[in-house]
Amino acid sequence: MTTRHSIAVSLAALFLAGAGENAGAAGASPTQVEPVDYVRVCDAYGSGFFYVPGTQTCLRVSGRVRAEYRVRGFGDMASAWDDRTDNSTQTRARGYARFDSRSDTEYGLLRTYVEAFLTADSGATATTTVGIDHAFISLGGFTIGKTQSVWDYWTGYAYGAIFTDYSNTKLWSVSYTGELADGLSATLAIEDNSKRRTNLVQLGAPATVIASGGPRMPDIVARLKHDGDWGGAQAMGALHQVMFAAGPGKTRIGYALGAGVEVKLPVIGPKDRLMLQAIYTHGASRYAVDSWDGRISDAITDGARTKLTTTWNLVAGLRHEFNAHWAANLEGGWHKVDALGQAYDFRQIGVNGNIEWRPVAGLAIGLEGEFRNVDYRAAGLADGNQFVTLVRVQRDF
């Protein structure tokens, strides 16, 4: 808490105390003024925390406000500029509120964390939505609630507002993390299966997308993670049930395997980073990428057999800070999809880059370009490119 905030809280408390004292003097039977419990700074968990009055719980309240102007998909694929009714440009405003409480117990650190947001989008389908990215409780090494998937390691340096080459998924999970030694930890989790689903297809004339069956088996996710002075690394694996809600498709268990490494580059800059990640999936395509082309699948059936879709994925990212006020990010990914037959086989390449100006602490203004190329294997499907740009203004407090 800043000195200014502390003074303001103290003055408010003194004012209320004085008001109560005057009210007692004016009444027939004066009452004793309750002692004032001043807000105290809690420095045990970093800056910004204060003690909740009357407790040993430390609380930090923070937030973010973001405004974007987007020039939407132009190129020779899914263009937003080929019809007068297209939403060729779009605006977005989003506000976040975060509440982080922590206290020490005999069982370890007890923590709750909530991050909620409001989003207002423009366009022909303008909407205002409410969402929750995080709402979890943790005690010791256990965590339960909605939070970042245990699988996700690198979630990008650039904004990735439209296209991404990685997984950045918040979902319900329960996990346990054990600290081993020298920055090494191991985590085992069960997670919401529905957040990792994508298309299930039954071939025919025409092919039909079949809904997934109801949730029966959660995904099982494990990771081994290391954090050191040089950077960090993670190896992860997941099991994912694939179940057709109807038709001849068979229920199968898919899986995903991945590893990533992030290296600090102090020779270039004190906050510079280089990231490399490789992921293989078999019937669990959304463990690799959030923003796949629309022909992605988890499994395809032709009536006689059911084949899980396989993907290979390589991604890399670089962050460079020129000085305290200017930074640039560049990242890209190569993805190959192999499904039953050729109609759903394709290769996808993505590149995102931005430059960001931070005139004062907590405020960032950035310009980003995002590119995606899709190359279909089947004849008769038009390959193409998509490109979007956006300007973002963001304030963290």
Side-chain angles (χ1 to χ4, degrees), residues 174-210:
V174 56
S175 66
Y176 177 75
T177 299
E179 302 294 335
L180 302 178
D182 298 326
L184 184 65
S185 65
T187 303
L188 181 64
I190 59 172
E191 298 188 342
D192 180 9
N193 170 280
S194 65
K195 292 294 185 178
R196 294 294 189 179
R197 296 174 180 174
T198 188
N199 296 327
L200 304 177
V201 180
Q202 182 176 338
L203 298 180
T208 305
V209 175
I210 307 297

PDB file of all heavy atoms in Angstrom, residues 174-210:
ATOM      1  N   VAL A 174      -7.902 -29.785 -10.066  1.00  0.00           N
ATOM      2  CA  VAL A 174      -7.396 -30.021  -8.718  1.00  0.00           C
ATOM      3  C   VAL A 174      -6.018 -30.638  -8.888  1.00  0.00           C
ATOM      4  O   VAL A 174      -5.842 -31.577  -9.667  1.00  0.00           O
ATOM      5  CB  VAL A 174      -8.333 -30.930  -7.894  1.00  0.00           C
ATOM      6  CG1 VAL A 174      -8.595 -32.254  -8.577  1.00  0.00           C
ATOM      7  CG2 VAL A 174      -7.765 -31.149  -6.494  1.00  0.00           C
ATOM      8  N   SER A 175      -5.039 -30.072  -8.200  1.00  0.00           N
ATOM      9  CA  SER A 175      -3.658 -30.501  -8.425  1.00  0.00           C
ATOM     10  C   SER A 175      -2.879 -30.535  -7.113  1.00  0.00           C
ATOM     11  O   SER A 175      -3.258 -29.896  -6.123  1.00  0.00           O
ATOM     12  CB  SER A 175      -2.957 -29.559  -9.413  1.00  0.00           C
ATOM     13  OG  SER A 175      -2.826 -28.258  -8.848  1.00  0.00           O
ATOM     14  N   TYR A 176      -1.775 -31.272  -7.160  1.00  0.00           N
ATOM     15  CA  TYR A 176      -0.825 -31.256  -6.047  1.00  0.00           C
ATOM     16  C   TYR A 176       0.570 -31.054  -6.616  1.00  0.00           C
ATOM     17  O   TYR A 176       0.975 -31.732  -7.566  1.00  0.00           O
ATOM     18  CB  TYR A 176      -0.849 -32.552  -5.246  1.00  0.00           C
ATOM     19  CG  TYR A 176       0.195 -32.545  -4.142  1.00  0.00           C
ATOM     20  CD1 TYR A 176       0.005 -31.799  -2.985  1.00  0.00           C
ATOM     21  CD2 TYR A 176       1.401 -33.234  -4.302  1.00  0.00           C
ATOM     22  CE1 TYR A 176       0.975 -31.751  -1.997  1.00  0.00           C
ATOM     23  CE2 TYR A 176       2.373 -33.199  -3.311  1.00  0.00           C
ATOM     24  CZ  TYR A 176       2.146 -32.447  -2.153  1.00  0.00           C
ATOM     25  OH  TYR A 176       3.112 -32.388  -1.189  1.00  0.00           O
ATOM     26  N   THR A 177       1.299 -30.101  -6.042  1.00  0.00           N
ATOM     27  CA  THR A 177       2.674 -29.820  -6.448  1.00  0.00           C
ATOM     28  C   THR A 177       3.607 -30.117  -5.298  1.00  0.00           C
ATOM     29  O   THR A 177       3.410 -29.624  -4.179  1.00  0.00           O
ATOM     30  CB  THR A 177       2.831 -28.351  -6.879  1.00  0.00           C
ATOM     31  OG1 THR A 177       1.988 -28.093  -7.997  1.00  0.00           O
ATOM     32  CG2 THR A 177       4.274 -28.045  -7.252  1.00  0.00           C
ATOM     33  N   GLY A 178       4.590 -30.931  -5.567  1.00  0.00           N
ATOM     34  CA  GLY A 178       5.614 -31.251  -4.576  1.00  0.00           C
ATOM     35  C   GLY A 178       6.936 -30.615  -4.958  1.00  0.00           C
ATOM     36  O   GLY A 178       7.402 -30.761  -6.093  1.00  0.00           O
ATOM     37  N   GLU A 179       7.526 -29.873  -4.034  1.00  0.00           N
ATOM     38  CA  GLU A 179       8.829 -29.265  -4.277  1.00  0.00           C
ATOM     39  C   GLU A 179       9.907 -30.305  -4.008  1.00  0.00           C
ATOM     40  O   GLU A 179       9.949 -30.912  -2.945  1.00  0.00           O
ATOM     41  CB  GLU A 179       9.029 -28.052  -3.368  1.00  0.00           C
ATOM     42  CG  GLU A 179       7.975 -26.969  -3.530  1.00  0.00           C
ATOM     43  CD  GLU A 179       8.031 -26.304  -4.899  1.00  0.00           C
ATOM     44  OE1 GLU A 179       9.116 -26.320  -5.513  1.00  0.00           O
ATOM     45  OE2 GLU A 179       6.996 -25.774  -5.337  1.00  0.00           O
ATOM     46  N   LEU A 180      10.775 -30.507  -4.982  1.00  0.00           N
ATOM     47  CA  LEU A 180      11.814 -31.526  -4.860  1.00  0.00           C
ATOM     48  C   LEU A 180      13.103 -30.894  -4.354  1.00  0.00           C
ATOM     49  O   LEU A 180      13.337 -30.853  -3.154  1.00  0.00           O
ATOM     50  CB  LEU A 180      11.996 -32.233  -6.208  1.00  0.00           C
ATOM     51  CG  LEU A 180      10.711 -32.891  -6.754  1.00  0.00           C
ATOM     52  CD1 LEU A 180      10.941 -33.544  -8.108  1.00  0.00           C
ATOM     53  CD2 LEU A 180      10.126 -33.877  -5.761  1.00  0.00           C
ATOM     54  N   ALA A 181      13.942 -30.386  -5.237  1.00  0.00           N
ATOM     55  CA  ALA A 181      15.180 -29.753  -4.791  1.00  0.00           C
ATOM     56  C   ALA A 181      15.701 -28.836  -5.869  1.00  0.00           C
ATOM     57  O   ALA A 181      15.488 -29.068  -7.072  1.00  0.00           O
ATOM     58  CB  ALA A 181      16.231 -30.826  -4.460  1.00  0.00           C
ATOM     59  N   ASP A 182      16.388 -27.760  -5.440  1.00  0.00           N
ATOM     60  CA  ASP A 182      17.069 -26.848  -6.356  1.00  0.00           C
ATOM     61  C   ASP A 182      16.157 -26.338  -7.464  1.00  0.00           C
ATOM     62  O   ASP A 182      16.494 -26.364  -8.645  1.00  0.00           O
ATOM     63  CB  ASP A 182      18.287 -27.544  -6.985  1.00  0.00           C
ATOM     64  CG  ASP A 182      19.315 -27.948  -5.940  1.00  0.00           C
ATOM     65  OD1 ASP A 182      19.462 -27.212  -4.953  1.00  0.00           O
ATOM     66  OD2 ASP A 182      19.944 -29.009  -6.103  1.00  0.00           O
ATOM     67  N   GLY A 183      14.961 -25.868  -7.095  1.00  0.00           N
ATOM     68  CA  GLY A 183      14.060 -25.293  -8.068  1.00  0.00           C
ATOM     69  C   GLY A 183      13.266 -26.292  -8.875  1.00  0.00           C
ATOM     70  O   GLY A 183      12.526 -25.910  -9.796  1.00  0.00           O
ATOM     71  N   LEU A 184      13.361 -27.564  -8.538  1.00  0.00           N
ATOM     72  CA  LEU A 184      12.656 -28.620  -9.277  1.00  0.00           C
ATOM     73  C   LEU A 184      11.366 -28.985  -8.557  1.00  0.00           C
ATOM     74  O   LEU A 184      11.349 -29.172  -7.336  1.00  0.00           O
ATOM     75  CB  LEU A 184      13.542 -29.854  -9.401  1.00  0.00           C
ATOM     76  CG  LEU A 184      13.000 -31.025 -10.231  1.00  0.00           C
ATOM     77  CD1 LEU A 184      12.865 -30.615 -11.692  1.00  0.00           C
ATOM     78  CD2 LEU A 184      13.918 -32.240 -10.096  1.00  0.00           C
ATOM     79  N   SER A 185      10.260 -29.078  -9.301  1.00  0.00           N
ATOM     80  CA  SER A 185       8.970 -29.446  -8.718  1.00  0.00           C
ATOM     81  C   SER A 185       8.248 -30.411  -9.638  1.00  0.00           C
ATOM     82  O   SER A 185       8.489 -30.457 -10.852  1.00  0.00           O
ATOM     83  CB  SER A 185       8.103 -28.205  -8.474  1.00  0.00           C
ATOM     84  OG  SER A 185       7.772 -27.586  -9.708  1.00  0.00           O
ATOM     85  N   ALA A 186       7.331 -31.187  -9.064  1.00  0.00           N
ATOM     86  CA  ALA A 186       6.508 -32.127  -9.826  1.00  0.00           C
ATOM     87  C   ALA A 186       5.049 -31.885  -9.474  1.00  0.00           C
ATOM     88  O   ALA A 186       4.713 -31.655  -8.306  1.00  0.00           O
ATOM     89  CB  ALA A 186       6.899 -33.566  -9.505  1.00  0.00           C
ATOM     90  N   THR A 187       4.169 -31.915 -10.488  1.00  0.00           N
ATOM     91  CA  THR A 187       2.754 -31.641 -10.299  1.00  0.00           C
ATOM     92  C   THR A 187       1.919 -32.710 -10.979  1.00  0.00           C
ATOM     93  O   THR A 187       2.224 -33.131 -12.100  1.00  0.00           O
ATOM     94  CB  THR A 187       2.371 -30.267 -10.878  1.00  0.00           C
ATOM     95  OG1 THR A 187       3.175 -29.251 -10.277  1.00  0.00           O
ATOM     96  CG2 THR A 187       0.895 -29.957 -10.614  1.00  0.00           C
ATOM     97  N   LEU A 188       0.856 -33.146 -10.277  1.00  0.00           N
ATOM     98  CA  LEU A 188      -0.118 -34.069 -10.846  1.00  0.00           C
ATOM     99  C   LEU A 188      -1.490 -33.434 -10.700  1.00  0.00           C
ATOM    100  O   LEU A 188      -1.831 -32.918  -9.632  1.00  0.00           O
ATOM    101  CB  LEU A 188      -0.081 -35.420 -10.126  1.00  0.00           C
ATOM    102  CG  LEU A 188      -1.044 -36.496 -10.650  1.00  0.00           C
ATOM    103  CD1 LEU A 188      -0.692 -36.883 -12.076  1.00  0.00           C
ATOM    104  CD2 LEU A 188      -1.032 -37.718  -9.741  1.00  0.00           C
ATOM    105  N   ALA A 189      -2.302 -33.462 -11.784  1.00  0.00           N
ATOM    106  CA  ALA A 189      -3.595 -32.776 -11.757  1.00  0.00           C
ATOM    107  C   ALA A 189      -4.646 -33.568 -12.514  1.00  0.00           C
ATOM    108  O   ALA A 189      -4.336 -34.336 -13.435  1.00  0.00           O
ATOM    109  CB  ALA A 189      -3.467 -31.384 -12.371  1.00  0.00           C
ATOM    110  N   ILE A 190      -5.913 -33.375 -12.100  1.00  0.00           N
ATOM    111  CA  ILE A 190      -7.040 -33.765 -12.940  1.00  0.00           C
ATOM    112  C   ILE A 190      -7.724 -32.469 -13.363  1.00  0.00           C
ATOM    113  O   ILE A 190      -7.891 -31.548 -12.558  1.00  0.00           O
ATOM    114  CB  ILE A 190      -8.020 -34.719 -12.217  1.00  0.00           C
ATOM    115  CG1 ILE A 190      -8.586 -34.101 -10.948  1.00  0.00           C
ATOM    116  CG2 ILE A 190      -7.354 -36.048 -11.911  1.00  0.00           C
ATOM    117  CD1 ILE A 190      -9.692 -34.931 -10.311  1.00  0.00           C
ATOM    118  N   GLU A 191      -8.090 -32.390 -14.668  1.00  0.00           N
ATOM    119  CA  GLU A 191      -8.589 -31.134 -15.218  1.00  0.00           C
ATOM    120  C   GLU A 191      -9.844 -31.360 -16.052  1.00  0.00           C
ATOM    121  O   GLU A 191     -10.103 -32.472 -16.542  1.00  0.00           O
ATOM    122  CB  GLU A 191      -7.500 -30.476 -16.074  1.00  0.00           C
ATOM    123  CG  GLU A 191      -6.254 -30.124 -15.292  1.00  0.00           C
ATOM    124  CD  GLU A 191      -5.247 -29.307 -16.076  1.00  0.00           C
ATOM    125  OE1 GLU A 191      -5.339 -29.280 -17.330  1.00  0.00           O
ATOM    126  OE2 GLU A 191      -4.361 -28.705 -15.449  1.00  0.00           O
ATOM    127  N   ASP A 192     -10.595 -30.288 -16.234  1.00  0.00           N
ATOM    128  CA  ASP A 192     -11.834 -30.316 -16.995  1.00  0.00           C
ATOM    129  C   ASP A 192     -11.576 -30.746 -18.434  1.00  0.00           C
ATOM    130  O   ASP A 192     -10.862 -30.084 -19.187  1.00  0.00           O
ATOM    131  CB  ASP A 192     -12.456 -28.918 -16.969  1.00  0.00           C
ATOM    132  CG  ASP A 192     -13.768 -28.821 -17.731  1.00  0.00           C
ATOM    133  OD1 ASP A 192     -14.288 -29.874 -18.150  1.00  0.00           O
ATOM    134  OD2 ASP A 192     -14.260 -27.691 -17.913  1.00  0.00           O
ATOM    135  N   ASN A 193     -12.171 -31.858 -18.829  1.00  0.00           N
ATOM    136  CA  ASN A 193     -11.981 -32.411 -20.169  1.00  0.00           C
ATOM    137  C   ASN A 193     -12.576 -31.523 -21.255  1.00  0.00           C
ATOM    138  O   ASN A 193     -12.044 -31.429 -22.373  1.00  0.00           O
ATOM    139  CB  ASN A 193     -12.606 -33.806 -20.219  1.00  0.00           C
ATOM    140  CG  ASN A 193     -12.684 -34.390 -21.607  1.00  0.00           C
ATOM    141  OD1 ASN A 193     -13.573 -34.073 -22.383  1.00  0.00           O
ATOM    142  ND2 ASN A 193     -11.752 -35.293 -21.906  1.00  0.00           N
ATOM    143  N   SER A 194     -13.678 -30.829 -20.951  1.00  0.00           N
ATOM    144  CA  SER A 194     -14.419 -30.109 -21.990  1.00  0.00           C
ATOM    145  C   SER A 194     -13.634 -28.951 -22.586  1.00  0.00           C
ATOM    146  O   SER A 194     -13.845 -28.578 -23.747  1.00  0.00           O
ATOM    147  CB  SER A 194     -15.748 -29.593 -21.429  1.00  0.00           C
ATOM    148  OG  SER A 194     -15.528 -28.619 -20.424  1.00  0.00           O
ATOM    149  N   LYS A 195     -12.723 -28.354 -21.827  1.00  0.00           N
ATOM    150  CA  LYS A 195     -11.955 -27.219 -22.328  1.00  0.00           C
ATOM    151  C   LYS A 195     -10.911 -27.624 -23.368  1.00  0.00           C
ATOM    152  O   LYS A 195     -10.342 -26.766 -24.050  1.00  0.00           O
ATOM    153  CB  LYS A 195     -11.272 -26.496 -21.166  1.00  0.00           C
ATOM    154  CG  LYS A 195     -12.224 -25.790 -20.221  1.00  0.00           C
ATOM    155  CD  LYS A 195     -12.926 -24.635 -20.921  1.00  0.00           C
ATOM    156  CE  LYS A 195     -13.788 -23.848 -19.945  1.00  0.00           C
ATOM    157  NZ  LYS A 195     -14.452 -22.695 -20.588  1.00  0.00           N
ATOM    158  N   ARG A 196     -10.629 -28.914 -23.483  1.00  0.00           N
ATOM    159  CA  ARG A 196      -9.603 -29.392 -24.412  1.00  0.00           C
ATOM    160  C   ARG A 196     -10.192 -30.087 -25.637  1.00  0.00           C
ATOM    161  O   ARG A 196      -9.474 -30.652 -26.440  1.00  0.00           O
ATOM    162  CB  ARG A 196      -8.674 -30.367 -23.684  1.00  0.00           C
ATOM    163  CG  ARG A 196      -7.844 -29.729 -22.584  1.00  0.00           C
ATOM    164  CD  ARG A 196      -6.847 -28.732 -23.110  1.00  0.00           C
ATOM    165  NE  ARG A 196      -5.921 -28.283 -22.072  1.00  0.00           N
ATOM    166  CZ  ARG A 196      -4.940 -27.417 -22.266  1.00  0.00           C
ATOM    167  NH1 ARG A 196      -4.763 -26.892 -23.469  1.00  0.00           N
ATOM    168  NH2 ARG A 196      -4.146 -27.059 -21.284  1.00  0.00           N
ATOM    169  N   ARG A 197     -11.504 -30.058 -25.799  1.00  0.00           N
ATOM    170  CA  ARG A 197     -12.129 -30.756 -26.915  1.00  0.00           C
ATOM    171  C   ARG A 197     -12.074 -29.934 -28.198  1.00  0.00           C
ATOM    172  O   ARG A 197     -12.093 -28.709 -28.174  1.00  0.00           O
ATOM    173  CB  ARG A 197     -13.593 -31.059 -26.595  1.00  0.00           C
ATOM    174  CG  ARG A 197     -13.803 -31.998 -25.436  1.00  0.00           C
ATOM    175  CD  ARG A 197     -15.282 -32.102 -25.125  1.00  0.00           C
ATOM    176  NE  ARG A 197     -15.554 -33.004 -24.009  1.00  0.00           N
ATOM    177  CZ  ARG A 197     -16.740 -33.166 -23.474  1.00  0.00           C
ATOM    178  NH1 ARG A 197     -17.776 -32.476 -23.938  1.00  0.00           N
ATOM    179  NH2 ARG A 197     -16.909 -34.005 -22.477  1.00  0.00           N
ATOM    180  N   THR A 198     -12.062 -30.635 -29.318  1.00  0.00           N
ATOM    181  CA  THR A 198     -12.251 -29.999 -30.618  1.00  0.00           C
ATOM    182  C   THR A 198     -13.057 -30.949 -31.492  1.00  0.00           C
ATOM    183  O   THR A 198     -13.673 -31.895 -30.986  1.00  0.00           O
ATOM    184  CB  THR A 198     -10.897 -29.599 -31.244  1.00  0.00           C
ATOM    185  OG1 THR A 198     -11.123 -28.818 -32.401  1.00  0.00           O
ATOM    186  CG2 THR A 198     -10.057 -30.812 -31.571  1.00  0.00           C
ATOM    187  N   ASN A 199     -13.072 -30.741 -32.815  1.00  0.00           N
ATOM    188  CA  ASN A 199     -14.008 -31.437 -33.692  1.00  0.00           C
ATOM    189  C   ASN A 199     -13.843 -32.960 -33.700  1.00  0.00           C
ATOM    190  O   ASN A 199     -12.714 -33.474 -33.720  1.00  0.00           O
ATOM    191  CB  ASN A 199     -13.842 -30.930 -35.128  1.00  0.00           C
ATOM    192  CG  ASN A 199     -14.197 -29.464 -35.265  1.00  0.00           C
ATOM    193  OD1 ASN A 199     -15.073 -28.966 -34.567  1.00  0.00           O
ATOM    194  ND2 ASN A 199     -13.519 -28.767 -36.164  1.00  0.00           N
ATOM    195  N   LEU A 200     -14.970 -33.651 -33.704  1.00  0.00           N
ATOM    196  CA  LEU A 200     -15.044 -35.081 -33.991  1.00  0.00           C
ATOM    197  C   LEU A 200     -15.833 -35.218 -35.293  1.00  0.00           C
ATOM    198  O   LEU A 200     -16.924 -34.660 -35.415  1.00  0.00           O
ATOM    199  CB  LEU A 200     -15.734 -35.838 -32.855  1.00  0.00           C
ATOM    200  CG  LEU A 200     -15.111 -35.668 -31.462  1.00  0.00           C
ATOM    201  CD1 LEU A 200     -15.934 -36.415 -30.424  1.00  0.00           C
ATOM    202  CD2 LEU A 200     -13.663 -36.143 -31.443  1.00  0.00           C
ATOM    203  N   VAL A 201     -15.295 -35.945 -36.260  1.00  0.00           N
ATOM    204  CA  VAL A 201     -15.857 -35.942 -37.613  1.00  0.00           C
ATOM    205  C   VAL A 201     -16.237 -37.352 -38.044  1.00  0.00           C
ATOM    206  O   VAL A 201     -15.467 -38.302 -37.829  1.00  0.00           O
ATOM    207  CB  VAL A 201     -14.855 -35.339 -38.614  1.00  0.00           C
ATOM    208  CG1 VAL A 201     -15.443 -35.337 -40.028  1.00  0.00           C
ATOM    209  CG2 VAL A 201     -14.459 -33.929 -38.192  1.00  0.00           C
ATOM    210  N   GLN A 202     -17.413 -37.470 -38.664  1.00  0.00           N
ATOM    211  CA  GLN A 202     -17.817 -38.709 -39.319  1.00  0.00           C
ATOM    212  C   GLN A 202     -17.797 -38.469 -40.824  1.00  0.00           C
ATOM    213  O   GLN A 202     -18.518 -37.605 -41.342  1.00  0.00           O
ATOM    214  CB  GLN A 202     -19.219 -39.141 -38.878  1.00  0.00           C
ATOM    215  CG  GLN A 202     -19.675 -40.455 -39.497  1.00  0.00           C
ATOM    216  CD  GLN A 202     -21.029 -40.907 -38.969  1.00  0.00           C
ATOM    217  OE1 GLN A 202     -21.446 -40.497 -37.885  1.00  0.00           O
ATOM    218  NE2 GLN A 202     -21.711 -41.754 -39.731  1.00  0.00           N
ATOM    219  N   LEU A 203     -16.945 -39.202 -41.537  1.00  0.00           N
ATOM    220  CA  LEU A 203     -16.822 -39.034 -42.973  1.00  0.00           C
ATOM    221  C   LEU A 203     -18.080 -39.508 -43.681  1.00  0.00           C
ATOM    222  O   LEU A 203     -18.789 -40.393 -43.213  1.00  0.00           O
ATOM    223  CB  LEU A 203     -15.606 -39.798 -43.495  1.00  0.00           C
ATOM    224  CG  LEU A 203     -14.241 -39.347 -42.950  1.00  0.00           C
ATOM    225  CD1 LEU A 203     -13.127 -40.193 -43.545  1.00  0.00           C
ATOM    226  CD2 LEU A 203     -14.001 -37.860 -43.236  1.00  0.00           C
ATOM    227  N   GLY A 204     -18.351 -38.902 -44.819  1.00  0.00           N
ATOM    228  CA  GLY A 204     -19.523 -39.243 -45.603  1.00  0.00           C
ATOM    229  C   GLY A 204     -19.712 -38.209 -46.682  1.00  0.00           C
ATOM    230  O   GLY A 204     -18.799 -37.441 -46.998  1.00  0.00           O
ATOM    231  N   ALA A 205     -20.888 -38.194 -47.282  1.00  0.00           N
ATOM    232  CA  ALA A 205     -21.181 -37.218 -48.327  1.00  0.00           C
ATOM    233  C   ALA A 205     -22.430 -36.428 -47.939  1.00  0.00           C
ATOM    234  O   ALA A 205     -23.547 -36.831 -48.269  1.00  0.00           O
ATOM    235  CB  ALA A 205     -21.375 -37.922 -49.670  1.00  0.00           C
ATOM    236  N   PRO A 206     -22.273 -35.324 -47.190  1.00  0.00           N
ATOM    237  CA  PRO A 206     -20.986 -34.737 -46.784  1.00  0.00           C
ATOM    238  C   PRO A 206     -20.518 -35.284 -45.427  1.00  0.00           C
ATOM    239  O   PRO A 206     -21.258 -35.986 -44.734  1.00  0.00           O
ATOM    240  CB  PRO A 206     -21.324 -33.259 -46.685  1.00  0.00           C
ATOM    241  CG  PRO A 206     -22.734 -33.259 -46.168  1.00  0.00           C
ATOM    242  CD  PRO A 206     -23.407 -34.432 -46.846  1.00  0.00           C
ATOM    243  N   ALA A 207     -19.289 -34.871 -45.037  1.00  0.00           N
ATOM    244  CA  ALA A 207     -18.794 -35.202 -43.710  1.00  0.00           C
ATOM    245  C   ALA A 207     -19.584 -34.434 -42.658  1.00  0.00           C
ATOM    246  O   ALA A 207     -20.092 -33.339 -42.914  1.00  0.00           O
ATOM    247  CB  ALA A 207     -17.311 -34.866 -43.601  1.00  0.00           C
ATOM    248  N   THR A 208     -19.709 -35.007 -41.475  1.00  0.00           N
ATOM    249  CA  THR A 208     -20.511 -34.409 -40.409  1.00  0.00           C
ATOM    250  C   THR A 208     -19.672 -34.270 -39.146  1.00  0.00           C
ATOM    251  O   THR A 208     -18.961 -35.206 -38.759  1.00  0.00           O
ATOM    252  CB  THR A 208     -21.738 -35.283 -40.089  1.00  0.00           C
ATOM    253  OG1 THR A 208     -22.492 -35.498 -41.284  1.00  0.00           O
ATOM    254  CG2 THR A 208     -22.623 -34.623 -39.059  1.00  0.00           C
ATOM    255  N   VAL A 209     -19.763 -33.089 -38.530  1.00  0.00           N
ATOM    256  CA  VAL A 209     -19.122 -32.894 -37.233  1.00  0.00           C
ATOM    257  C   VAL A 209     -20.057 -33.412 -36.149  1.00  0.00           C
ATOM    258  O   VAL A 209     -21.217 -32.996 -36.056  1.00  0.00           O
ATOM    259  CB  VAL A 209     -18.793 -31.408 -36.990  1.00  0.00           C
ATOM    260  CG1 VAL A 209     -18.237 -31.212 -35.583  1.00  0.00           C
ATOM    261  CG2 VAL A 209     -17.797 -30.915 -38.034  1.00  0.00           C
ATOM    262  N   ILE A 210     -19.566 -34.353 -35.340  1.00  0.00           N
ATOM    263  CA  ILE A 210     -20.348 -34.988 -34.281  1.00  0.00           C
ATOM    264  C   ILE A 210     -19.989 -34.350 -32.943  1.00  0.00           C
ATOM    265  O   ILE A 210     -18.809 -34.121 -32.642  1.00  0.00           O
ATOM    266  CB  ILE A 210     -20.084 -36.499 -34.227  1.00  0.00           C
ATOM    267  CG1 ILE A 210     -20.302 -37.141 -35.599  1.00  0.00           C
ATOM    268  CG2 ILE A 210     -20.955 -37.158 -33.166  1.00  0.00           C
ATOM    269  CD1 ILE A 210     -21.719 -37.044 -36.107  1.00  0.00           C
TER     270      ILE A 210
END
